Amino acid sequence: MLNWFKRISLIVLSIILIAVMAVYFTLRQSLPSLDGDRTVSQITQPATLSRDKLGQAIIHASSRNDAMYLLGYAHGQDRFFQMDLQRRSAAGELAQWLGDMAAEYDKANRFYQFRRRAEKIVTAMPANQRAILNAYSDGVNQAINELGARPFEYIVTNFEPAPWTPADSVLVIFSMYLDLQGTSVKRDLALTSIEHLFGQPMVNFLTQSSQYQAALDGSQLTNQADIPVLPDTTRVSRSASNTTAALDDAANFMADIGSNNWVVDGTLTDSGDALLASDMHLGLRVPTTWYRAQLNYPETNNDVRVTGVSLPGVPAIVAGTNGHIAWGFTNSYIDTADWIHVDRQDVTSIQESLNVGGEIQTYNRLVSEYGPVKQVGTRFYALSWVAHQPYAVNMKLVELANCQSVAEALPIVRKLGIPVQNIAIGDTAGNIAWLLAGAVPARKTPHDMAITPDQFDNGWLTDETDLPLVMNPDSHRIWSANSRVMSSTDLQRFGDGGYALGARASQVRDRLFEYEQFDEDRFYQIQLDNEARFLQPWHALLRDLMSQDTDTYAADIAALDNWGQCACTDSVGYTLVKHFRGQLLSTVFAPLNDALNNYGQSVWSATNGFEPAIWQLIHAESPSWLPAGHNNWQDFMRAEYDTAKSRLLSKHSDTADLADLAWGKVNVMALTHPFAGQIPVLGSALNMPPIAGFGDTFMPAVQGRDFGASQRLFVRPGQLDKAVLTVPGGQSGHPLSAFYEAGFSDYANQRPTPLMPSAPQHTLTFIPAQ
């Protein structure tokens, strides 16, 4: 009997071993070749694609188009899965691949009709820009055709990757519109619903200005509002509706997420050239958003060498330096969308076909002369959004690589076809500038709520080029962090599309004025600044509430007294303060959120102005806003703290021990692969190692579970040997590649990674076919 058991065990182990080996060898076949010669017809002169020890792509070509062919080839080898997800996401074509689970997501994105718009944009592009997209697409497709097997994501899902087209690169840029301006689009409609349900005083209350303002000119907004009376029908116990899902929804919008960049002029560096910092905050995943690359090619009277981060799917260096200038971006959050209240008779229903796992489903979508239409209750609203305009996307970003100075770059920046950003830019002569960079409608009056057809401005059809500019300010410093950067006067023209609160920008600004000389190391420390300035009033409030019952809250008081005033890894007090605030906000504004949920909307997408509103309510102890079941605001706030702590312990501790709520444990950064959960046993190996929490929101060191700095760039264009570019992940999306995690350790341990590539370790030579 024992022998039979041994034989069966050996057979089972052998089958498992064979299966593992089969998987391994299949994966090996899909690894791209990084060395050797290629004879191709799409280039004009010999060219090379090398990789250094990080897998950074180093491209040498005889023309820009040949360089873009090789960049497409590199992206196709290392990141095609990521590119495919982004084009399909923007186009609403994921369900063809992923089936029913993506059908509703596709319908939501088909609302914008980005596939049709992308194809029209490519057709209308100048020939030189279209040539860039064609060359890039050829490179992507060459790389995919050379693979010995499909990338593993396609093997797992039994799906064939489709060829890359020029319109797909435009779709990737449209995916960034959705990412960067999606909440702005939702904002105006949510405010419209709040006005419809609760009146204009409620809108005024939720959108009043706060103490946290950091405009470059120092201008302050002072619009204040009275507390509106909350109707008695909403004064019910809110614990039932205030679910974990509702709290997560609130947390997503209350995070003050965004990006940081700043630049100082040559008077504040020992080298005399400008010094730039850029950390663009995005959702973090595997593979990471950006792809390190250096492009070398000749242009008229100039040999280009541009180094930085590229976005797989797009032929350009998005942020970086060419040795003469350096640039980086943050999302601007100006107003780029209007909703138009239209009559039902002006709305047309169109049948749309959707491929769901190979089966065609049909549904109806609504349109009007102003754009796609959304029904909210019995009302109809058409969306006019800058992303819908022909000028939304172009390839002018590649032209920054040719610029020798800030002044030379400004005319190009004014015409960029990207989601409008704050660009910070500096040059070797020490000049610095900020201005809006991207597509901006020329309509003259932005609106926070829906407008009527007679208010529609035909300026929507034109791209605005008269954009605000700050160059070489007397302060010698420029900063942006998603809050208002422009003057209060310019705000009237360009509007508020959901600016960040301003606490993070204020802290960056203050750090920049603490010193008169800067280098890359000092900039890195500012980017890692996790001092909890914003939460200090909340800490004081919670400490005062606990002092009224010191016996019950003895351990909690000890944690608060030792919180370190930072989002530090070992701080329990920080966790308690942060989640107390989140719980209180979620409960207080639950009546508004519940009302908007009936229309498929959320109050949290309406505004980032809850901070002045909640403190106004706390100080006034407003009786109409006090939930039923509570006698006063002090008892209510203590109860909210108890609820927040109970939820935290339930989630993070098996023994109800406050020590388990250290911020590093609660806020672990976990970068995961989209398919990790679909692969039994081995799926977790696709993920990056977890990082203990060291930052949070409302501070320069932004970090959440799957959100944070998607890169950390510090560069003086004339001192490239000192430049830093740290990225939270490797170059390759292939789990067997030596570059799958390369560079991640530096990011996790807050070490600088050189921007410039090291010596090539692999080289592919491309020879033009005769």
Side-chain angles (χ1 to χ4, degrees), residues 8-57:
I8 293 172
S9 298
L10 286 172
I11 292 171
V12 171
L13 288 173
S14 297
I15 292 172
I16 293 174
L17 180 60
I18 291 170
V20 170
M21 291 177 65
V23 171
Y24 175 79
F25 284 115
T26 300
L27 286 175
R28 289 287 302 178
Q29 282 187 299
S30 63
L31 268 174
S33 176
L34 304 182
D35 295 283
D37 296 340
R38 298 285 185 276
T39 301
V40 296
S41 61
Q42 297 94 340
I43 63 172
T44 59
Q45 296 291 329
T48 59
L49 166 59
S50 301
R51 264 85 165 196
D52 71 355
K53 64 183 180 181
L54 291 176
Q56 178 162 341

Side-chain angles (χ1 to χ4, degrees), residues 263-267 269 272-275 406 426-432 472 476 717:
V263 61
V264 298
D265 71 19
T267 66
T269 68
D273 49 353
L275 175 58
V406 168
D427 63 24
T428 52
N431 299 298
I432 60 174
N472 294 332
H476 310 289

Side-chain angles (χ1 to χ4, degrees), residues 63-76:
S63 69
R64 182 169 66 187
N65 286 354
D66 285 0
M68 295 309 174
Y69 173 86
L70 267 64
L71 182 61
Y73 188 93
H75 284 171

Side-chain angles (χ1 to χ4, degrees), residues 446-491:
H447 301 275
D448 283 339
M449 292 182 289
I451 61 176
T452 58
D454 62 301
Q455 293 176 291
F456 183 77
D457 186 343
N458 285 328
W460 268 106
L461 305 177
T462 307
D463 187 17
E464 178 66 85
T465 57
D466 184 12
L467 302 172
L469 165 70
V470 174
M471 185 170 177
N472 294 332
D474 292 341
S475 69
H476 310 289
R477 300 160 174 86
I478 284 172
W479 59 89
S480 74
N482 309 113
S483 60
R484 178 176 63 90
V485 179
M486 65 184 64
S487 69
S488 55
T489 301
D490 285 332
L491 175 67

Side-chain angles (χ1 to χ4, degrees), residues 9 54 90 92-93 103 147 186 229 233 237 284 358 362 364 389 428 477 562 740 765:
S9 298
L54 291 176
E93 296 170 357
L147 293 178
K186 296 175 182 176
V229 175
T233 54
S237 175
L284 301 181
T362 61
N364 293 325
Q389 305 304 322
T428 52
R477 300 160 174 86
N562 292 282
Y740 189 68
T765 300

Side-chain angles (χ1 to χ4, degrees), residues 26-181:
T26 300
L27 286 175
R28 289 287 302 178
Q29 282 187 299
S30 63
L31 268 174
S33 176
L34 304 182
D35 295 283
D37 296 340
R38 298 285 185 276
T39 301
V40 296
S41 61
Q42 297 94 340
I43 63 172
T44 59
Q45 296 291 329
T48 59
L49 166 59
S50 301
R51 264 85 165 196
D52 71 355
K53 64 183 180 181
L54 291 176
Q56 178 162 341
I58 310 162
I59 292 169
H60 289 267
S62 64
S63 69
R64 182 169 66 187
N65 286 354
D66 285 0
M68 295 309 174
Y69 173 86
L70 267 64
L71 182 61
Y73 188 93
H75 284 171
Q77 281 193 318
D78 291 333
R79 298 290 190 87
F80 186 77
F81 166 68
Q82 172 188 357
M83 297 159 60
D84 202 1
L85 280 182
Q86 287 198 260
R87 66 171 170 178
R88 289 180 178 277
S89 175
E93 296 170 357
L94 281 172
Q96 181 183 3
W97 183 1
L98 304 177
D100 288 330
M101 62 184 293
E104 292 304 314
Y105 182 87
D106 276 0
K107 290 177 183 178
N109 282 355
R110 287 282 182 97
F111 177 81
Y112 308 105
Q113 291 292 289
F114 281 141
R115 168 67 72 182
R116 177 176 57 83
R117 299 182 195 280
E119 290 170 351
K120 285 187 174 182
I121 284 174
V122 171
T123 300
M125 266 185 180
N128 64 327
Q129 294 188 29
R130 196 162 55 249
I132 290 171
L133 290 176
N134 286 332
Y136 178 84
S137 298
D138 288 342
V140 174
N141 292 326
Q142 180 71 26
I144 295 303
N145 291 337
E146 288 181 5
L147 293 178
R150 292 173 294 174
F152 83 90
E153 295 93 347
Y154 299 89
I155 296 174
V156 169
T157 55
N158 192 30
F159 191 73
E160 289 291 336
W164 196 260
T165 71
D168 292 331
S169 291
V170 177
L171 282 168
V172 171
I173 297 174
F174 277 140
S175 76
M176 298 307 292
Y177 269 97
L178 288 169
D179 194 9
L180 298 172
Q181 295 185 5

Side-chain angles (χ1 to χ4, degrees), residues 350-363:
I350 294 178
Q351 188 177 82
E352 183 84 10
S353 296
L354 184 66
N355 188 329
V356 181
E359 296 182 1
I360 303 301
Q361 297 181 7
T362 61
Y363 68 97

